[in-house]
Amino acid sequence: MLPFPTNSSTLPCSILLALAILMAATTSNSSYTAPTTMLTAPNTTKPGCQRKCGNLTVPYPFGIIGLGSHCSLTESYDIICDTSFHPPKAFLNNHKIEIFEITETHQMRIENNMSYACYDPQGAVTKKVAAEFQPLGPSYTLSADANRFTVVGCDDYALFSELGTTNLFQIRATTVKPTTLIGGCIALCSEDDLQDMKACPGLGCCQTSLPKGLKSFSLSVTTLNNHTEVSDFDKCGYAFLAEKDSLKFSGAADLKVEASVFEAKIKKEVPVVIEWTVGTENCSQAQLSSSGYACQQNTKCVDFDGGTAGYRCQCLPGYEGNPYLSPGCTDIDECADPNNNPCVTAATCNNTVGGYTCICPIGQLGDGKKTNSSGCIPIDSRSQSATKFGLAAELEKATDSFNEDRILGQGGQGTVYKGMLSDGKIVAIKKSKIVDQNQLEEFINEVVILSQINHRNIDVVWKQRFLF
C-alpha cells in the first residue's frame, strides 16, 4: 500500500483526484522478454520420466527410454542412456550417435565423424577412411548457420554431397556434374605457415559454409600431390564438419601426430550442430490439427527457416516453462528475485500476467523501470517533464460542475466525467466518491498506477492540494 497522510487535520471530507486521459483506450505492455527455460522448468519431462542421462538434460519432446513409457513425443525423439559408461552417455534412438547437448534454442550437439587419408614419403596411401552422415529423420537438419565444412592438411581438398546423389569421391573433380556438387574446400600450406596457429586461418585449414536444408552427406578427402612435398611435417589430410569457432587448430602440432590422435581430438572438442523441429508441417498447417499440434498454452509457433519443413514452440514473453508439455508456459514473477528487480529502487514492482509494472511513489512520475526508461522523476513544476497541475475549480469548469450529463461511467472508487480543458483538449476526469480512508488509499493507488502509463494519448493531471 502506498503512503497516505494520516494527520486528521489534513484528511479531506471529499477529494478530487483527476486523470486527464485523452479519449483513447490503452493497455500497459511490458518490454521484458523472458528467457526460454525448457531445461530448468518443473515440467522439463513428462511425469515419471528420467530427466538426465549423465551430464545431459533431456527435455520433452525428447524422452529417455527405460524408466517411463511414452516419455518422448514420438520414437524419433527417443534417447538411449547407456549406463555402461561413467558417466552414462546418451545416444539418439537407433542411430548410435552420441548427444553432447540439447539446447533451449532447438539445437543438438552431437559427436563428430571425419574422413582422412594418410600417405608414406613415396606418396603411397597407408590409410584412407571415408565418412558419411545418414539422415536422422524428418525433424533433424544439419545447421547451415552453426556448422562449417572443414578440410585440414597441406596438400588436400575435399568435396561433399548429399546422400542419394552422385558419389563425388569416386571420380575426379573434372568429371563431376555441376548440378550434383554441394561444396568443397582446399587446404595448402608450407611448414613455415604452421606456426602459432589457434584457429582456422586458411593456410593448412580451410572452412566453408553449408547449404540450408541438408540432412545427410558423404565426404572423402583427396590429395593433390600425394603429400610427397609435405610428408616431413604433414602425412595426412582430414575432412569433417565443425561447429563454427569450435576448432582450435594448432598447426604443425596437429599435423605431425598420428591420425587417430587428431581424430580423437575432433571427436572430443569439435561437435556437429543439428537443428531439431516438430512435425513436417509449418505453423498454419499444424494449427489446423487439434490433436497433432504440439504447442501448449501461452506459447507461440515459429516456422523453421532452415530450409526444410517443420515448426517450433516458444514461450510467450513474460512466460517460462516447457512449451511442449501441459500446462504449457506459466507466468514469470519478475518481481520475485530481489537481486534482479526490473524496477528502480524507489519504485514498487507489481507482477502482472505475462509482465510487470513499476509504481513510482507519490510525488514522483515515470514508468519506474531500470532499462530504456526515465525511472522515477520527482515532480518539479519547473521541469518540462513534470506533471501538469490543475486546481479543482478548473476541473469543475471542464465538467460543467460535474454535470450528470457529462458522466461517462462509474467505478468502485469514483465517477468518470467527460470534460474539456481550457486549451480545448477533451479529457476524462475521475472524481473520487469515497471518504473511508482505506478505500481512499485504494483510489490513490489506482490513480498512481494509471499515471505510470506512457502513451501519446495519456496526459496525467495530479492535484496535490486536498480540499475540505
Side-chain angles (χ1 to χ4, degrees):
M1 186 66 68
L2 294 174
F4 186 78
T6 56
N7 188 320
S8 59
S9 63
T10 61
L11 283 176
C13 296
S14 64
I15 281 186
L16 292 177
L17 292 173
L19 284 175
I21 306 175
L22 304 189
M23 308 301 288
T26 184
T27 58
S28 178
N29 294 324
S30 170
S31 60
Y32 181 85
T33 302
T36 306
T37 54
M38 188 188 307
L39 302 180
T40 57
N43 62 338
T44 294
T45 63
K46 277 188 171 182
C49 293
Q50 187 175 340
R51 184 186 184 101
K52 300 197 73 172
C53 176
N55 298 321
L56 176 71
T57 299
V58 181
Y60 187 84
F62 296 90
I64 297 174
I65 299 174
L67 294 183
S69 60
H70 307 295
C71 287
S72 64
L73 179 63
T74 65
E75 289 183 358
S76 65
Y77 301 96
D78 282 346
I79 302 294
I80 298 172
C81 188
D82 191 339
T83 57
S84 65
F85 295 94
H86 301 283
K89 292 184 177 182
F91 297 85
L92 182 62
N93 48 52
N94 295 319
H95 293 281
K96 297 181 180 179
I97 295 177
E98 184 180 356
I99 303 172
F100 298 140
E101 184 181 16
I102 301 173
T103 73
E104 298 170 350
T105 55
H106 293 79
Q107 290 185 334
M108 178 189 298
R109 289 178 173 85
I110 63 172
E111 185 181 37
N112 216 320
N113 189 17
M114 68 186 304
S115 169
Y116 60 91
C118 299
Y119 308 85
D120 65 18
Q122 288 71 45
V125 177
T126 59
K127 191 170 185 180
K128 189 175 181 70
V129 176
E132 65 179 26
F133 183 86
Q134 296 285 347
L136 301 179
S139 298
Y140 303 98
T141 305
L142 288 157
S143 176
D145 294 329
N147 293 314
R148 294 293 180 266
F149 176 60
T150 306
V151 177
V152 171
C154 291
D155 185 36
D156 305 279
Y157 72 90
L159 306 174
F160 64 101
S161 66
E162 189 167 12
L163 290 179
T165 63
T166 302
N167 190 334
L168 303 181
F169 314 111
Q170 303 302 317
I171 52 181
R172 298 297 296 176
T174 54
T175 65
V176 173
K177 295 180 181 180
T179 56
T180 63
L181 178 63
I182 292 180
C185 221
I186 183 169
L188 302 172
C189 63
S190 66
E191 189 170 13
D192 292 338
D193 296 328
L194 299 176
Q195 307 302 316
D196 300 324
M197 290 186 174
K198 295 182 180 180
C200 190
L203 292 172
C205 180
C206 171
Q207 289 189 323
T208 188
S209 59
L210 302 183
K212 283 189 173 184
L214 193 64
K215 290 183 174 291
S216 64
F217 65 86
S218 62
L219 55 85
S220 179
V221 64
T222 303
T223 180
L224 296 174
N225 296 300
N226 291 70
H227 279 237
T228 54
E229 299 178 6
V230 296
S231 62
D232 290 344
F233 56 90
D234 176 25
K235 296 180 173 60
C236 304
Y238 308 89
F240 51 92
L241 294 191
E243 181 180 10
K244 186 169 58 176
D245 300 327
S246 67
L247 175 62
K248 309 304 179 187
F249 181 53
S250 301
D254 282 334
L255 295 180
K256 289 183 178 181
V257 299
E258 294 295 322
S260 59
V261 175
F262 185 69
E263 181 181 25
K265 170 183 175 177
I266 298 302
K267 285 181 174 291
K268 180 181 179 181
E269 300 177 3
V270 182
V272 174
V273 180
I274 303 295
E275 305 277 357
W276 61 270
T277 61
V278 176
T280 58
E281 303 170 309
N282 59 32
C283 291
S284 59
Q285 294 168 331
Q287 287 167 346
L288 297 176
S289 172
S290 58
S291 59
Y293 184 55
C295 301
Q296 303 297 310
Q297 295 182 27
N298 302 317
T299 65
K300 64 178 179 180
C301 183
V302 179
D303 286 328
F304 178 53
D305 64 353
T308 61
Y311 66 93
R312 292 163 165 176
C313 305
Q314 295 178 359
C315 290
L316 292 172
Y319 292 85
E320 64 182 353
N322 190 327
Y324 297 99
L325 268 182
S326 178
C329 301
T330 56
D331 173 57
I332 293 176
D333 186 351
E334 292 86 354
C335 304
D337 186 356
N339 298 318
N340 193 30
N341 193 308
C343 303
V344 297
T345 303
T348 300
C349 187
N350 177 49
N351 185 58
T352 62
V353 177
Y356 66 95
T357 58
C358 300
I359 305 172
C360 292
I362 292 178
Q364 297 185 31
L365 293 177
D367 62 13
K369 297 177 181 179
K370 288 181 178 178
T371 58
N372 300 321
S373 74
S374 58
C376 292
I377 302 175
I379 294 174
D380 182 355
S381 60
R382 294 169 297 177
S383 171
Q384 293 183 356
S385 64
T387 301
K388 298 178 181 179
F389 292 93
L391 297 175
E394 292 182 51
L395 300 178
E396 290 183 13
K397 181 179 179 181
T399 57
D400 191 18
S401 299
F402 298 103
N403 193 313
E404 291 185 0
D405 294 337
R406 300 288 187 94
I407 293 178
L408 296 175
Q410 307 240 7
Q413 277 84 37
T415 303
V416 180
Y417 297 84
K418 179 179 179 180
M420 178 184 291
L421 299 181
S422 56
D423 60 2
K425 184 181 295 182
I426 302 298
V427 296
I429 299 172
K430 187 168 187 177
K431 177 183 178 183
S432 172
K433 61 181 181 181
I434 301 167
V435 295
D436 178 81
Q437 179 177 342
N438 292 329
Q439 292 179 305
L440 186 58
E441 290 177 353
E442 292 179 10
F443 175 72
I444 294 175
N445 284 333
E446 177 185 337
V447 173
V448 171
I449 292 172
L450 290 173
S451 72
Q452 312 309 309
I453 299 173
N454 292 326
H455 193 282
R456 67 174 186 269
N457 286 339
I458 295 182
D459 183 20
V460 180
V461 177
W462 180 273
K463 179 169 170 36
Q464 288 187 309
R465 180 185 300 175
F466 298 105
L467 305 177
F468 291 92

